[in-house]
Amino acid sequence: MSLNRCEQRVFDYLDRHVDERQHWQQKLRAVVQSTGSDHVAVVRLEPELWRYYQERSAFVAIFKEAVKHEGEQRTSMKNLAELLVRLWTEPRPKPKSSDQSSG
């Protein structure tokens, strides 16, 4: 999976900061559990990851520098949300299609 620069920056930051990573792991798992759908969880988490990026850009040097050079234009965090769901949740079996015969 290919991440854009903003997504990669967040991913690397979470990889290096255990407390932040644990916070996001708990948050992500709670969203996946409450929605019951990886797809719905990604849709819900994507804007939260962007808000997190914006919040970090006020305090963390690597984010500040990026915003200084790249600007603050909204960037998708969908690939990052999808990757984190894959990495941080247990795989679930896909539902069997209803057109299979059981006999």
Side-chain angles (χ1 to χ4, degrees), residues 24 27-28 31 40-49 81 85:
W24 276 97
K27 180 182 202 111
L28 180 139
V31 170
V40 174
V42 165
V43 169
R44 189 175 296 173
L45 289 164
E46 191 274 338
E48 291 190 43
L49 286 164
V85 166

Side-chain angles (χ1 to χ4, degrees), residues 34-53:
S34 72
T35 62
S37 164
D38 291 354
H39 174 73
V40 174
V42 165
V43 169
R44 189 175 296 173
L45 289 164
E46 191 274 338
E48 291 190 43
L49 286 164
W50 176 250
R51 282 190 295 277
Y52 178 71
Y53 184 90

Side-chain angles (χ1 to χ4, degrees), residues 4-75:
N4 65 44
R5 288 181 297 213
C6 295
E7 291 170 319
Q8 188 66 55
R9 203 169 286 121
V10 171
F11 184 81
D12 293 343
Y13 182 78
L14 294 176
D15 190 48
R16 290 187 305 267
H17 295 84
V18 176
D19 291 345
E20 295 288 318
R21 182 174 62 245
Q22 288 174 342
H23 166 79
W24 276 97
Q25 285 173 333
Q26 292 171 353
K27 180 182 202 111
L28 180 139
R29 289 174 182 146
V31 170
V32 169
Q33 184 177 8
S34 72
T35 62
S37 164
D38 291 354
H39 174 73
V40 174
V42 165
V43 169
R44 189 175 296 173
L45 289 164
E46 191 274 338
E48 291 190 43
L49 286 164
W50 176 250
R51 282 190 295 277
Y52 178 71
Y53 184 90
Q54 291 177 303
E55 185 267 331
R56 292 285 87 192
S57 69
F59 303 104
V60 177
I62 192 144
F63 291 95
K64 278 183 182 181
E65 282 299 310
V67 168
K68 183 177 170 182
H69 295 291
E70 299 169 9
E72 295 184 61
Q73 185 173 3
R74 173 73 160 92
T75 302

